[in-house]
Amino acid sequence: MEEEHFIFSVKEQSIKQILVSLGADVCGIGSIDRFKDAPAGFSPKDIYHECRSVISFGVALPKGVMEVSPKLIYSHFNGPVITQRVDEIALLASKRIEEQWNAVAVPIPSDAPNEYWDAENLTARGMISMKHTAVSCGIGQLGKSTLLLNPTYGSLLVIGAILTNLELQSDELCENICIDKCRRCIDHCPAHAINEGNVSQKLCRPNTYGKTARGFDTVECNACRNVCPMKYGKVKKTLESNVTS
């Protein structure tokens, strides 16, 4: 039994090394059992019936995109540039996993394309929820704004995922770094779209997304992310004492 456990550990570590070598900053693994409560139609097994494990990984944005007005720079790099990079990593890693372990690996789009759209409530869903997948794979926990928070990279991670028929060991769930009594994301939302643990996309979207006169996409608001004391990861205790101000 101990030898079998060792073989599994080497496999998981090798998979993570593949992701990191391709440009991922973090990587975690979750057994399919952790996804039993996924909404109908959005479970990994709804996409790939033989899925036994999910590999989640993240690529972090530079802190610099948070230090300027959101609009063009933020929307450009926190949009097609990084999601394409994440999708390329998922594709290349899937090929390596299949070659090395004679397995099946299914790369999942980080953002688009997706099919679900509730026009009345302006609500979209990906093929699977990337942030909930990251939680199930031990990469982070959700803050009150529902943004994923990672101890090292805060809310800067863009998440990708791979489904596989390999039976892999799950990583431990991540600690929650969201500060209990902090309400900054809730109180600073100009659209009043955040209700602890839930965000109304119907209120958020019209306030967040826009276009320039030439038709370039912009992000007009990222207040919930920018005011978070944990946006860059763990901070000193001195900050925690002032989070309700």
Side-chain angles (χ1 to χ4, degrees), residues 11-30 34 54-60 89-90 93-94 97 133-140 148 150-153 157-162 164 168-174:
K11 187 184 295 182
E12 282 89 26
Q13 192 59 36
S14 296
I15 287 172
K16 292 178 181 180
Q17 287 173 352
I18 289 172
L19 270 301
V20 170
S21 72
L22 290 170
D25 292 302
V26 294
C27 182
I29 296 170
R34 287 190 174 174
V54 179
I55 303 158
S56 179
F57 65 95
V59 177
I89 292 172
S94 294
I97 290 167
T133 296
V135 171
S136 295
C137 293
I139 287 179
L148 181 75
N150 170 272
T152 302
Y153 296 101
L157 290 173
V158 177
I159 301 298
I162 297 169
T164 180
L168 304 172
Q169 291 180 348
S170 297
D171 282 293
E172 291 184 10
L173 295 177
C174 187

Side-chain angles (χ1 to χ4, degrees), residues 28-140:
I29 296 170
S31 164
I32 194 60
D33 293 341
R34 287 190 174 174
F35 295 83
K36 61 181 182 297
D37 295 327
F42 298 92
S43 165
K45 275 188 169 288
D46 291 321
I47 299 171
Y48 174 46
H49 297 312
E50 302 302 317
C51 181
R52 295 182 180 176
S53 305
V54 179
I55 303 158
S56 179
F57 65 95
V59 177
L61 290 160
K63 295 177 183 178
V65 300
M66 300 295 296
E67 299 297 326
V68 295
S69 171
K71 297 198 175 183
L72 288 174
I73 294 175
Y74 177 86
S75 61
H76 179 65
F77 289 104
N78 187 34
V81 171
I82 197 164
T83 55
Q84 182 176 343
R85 175 64 175 149
V86 171
D87 286 351
E88 288 174 352
I89 292 172
L91 175 66
L92 295 174
S94 294
K95 291 176 64 177
R96 287 208 205 170
I97 290 167
E98 291 188 338
E99 291 167 1
Q100 189 162 338
W101 289 284
N102 190 29
V104 173
V106 182
I108 303 298
S110 173
D111 182 28
N114 54 62
E115 293 184 296
Y116 182 92
W117 175 245
D118 178 350
E120 181 180 352
N121 293 301
L122 303 181
T123 300
R125 287 183 181 179
M127 292 183 179
I128 59 175
S129 170
M130 285 295 172
K131 60 187 178 183
H132 288 93
T133 296
V135 171
S136 295
C137 293
I139 287 179

Side-chain angles (χ1 to χ4, degrees), residues 153-228:
Y153 296 101
S155 65
L156 296 178
L157 290 173
V158 177
I159 301 298
I162 297 169
L163 316 182
T164 180
N165 61 347
L166 292 172
E167 193 166 335
L168 304 172
Q169 291 180 348
S170 297
D171 282 293
E172 291 184 10
L173 295 177
C174 187
E175 65 175 307
N176 190 344
I177 64 170
C178 185
I179 303 168
D180 280 346
K181 295 181 179 179
C182 180
R183 287 180 47 91
R184 284 188 180 179
C185 60
I186 298 170
D187 294 339
H188 285 78
C189 176
H192 306 289
I194 304 172
N195 182 5
E196 237 177 283
N198 182 54
V199 174
S200 167
Q201 291 192 36
K202 189 172 185 177
L203 296 175
C204 175
R205 281 181 180 274
N207 186 68
T208 300
Y209 301 108
K211 287 184 180 293
T212 67
R214 285 190 62 190
F216 295 117
D217 291 332
T218 62
V219 172
E220 302 294 326
C221 177
N222 64 350
C224 60
R225 173 177 270 180
N226 213 19
V227 300
C228 177

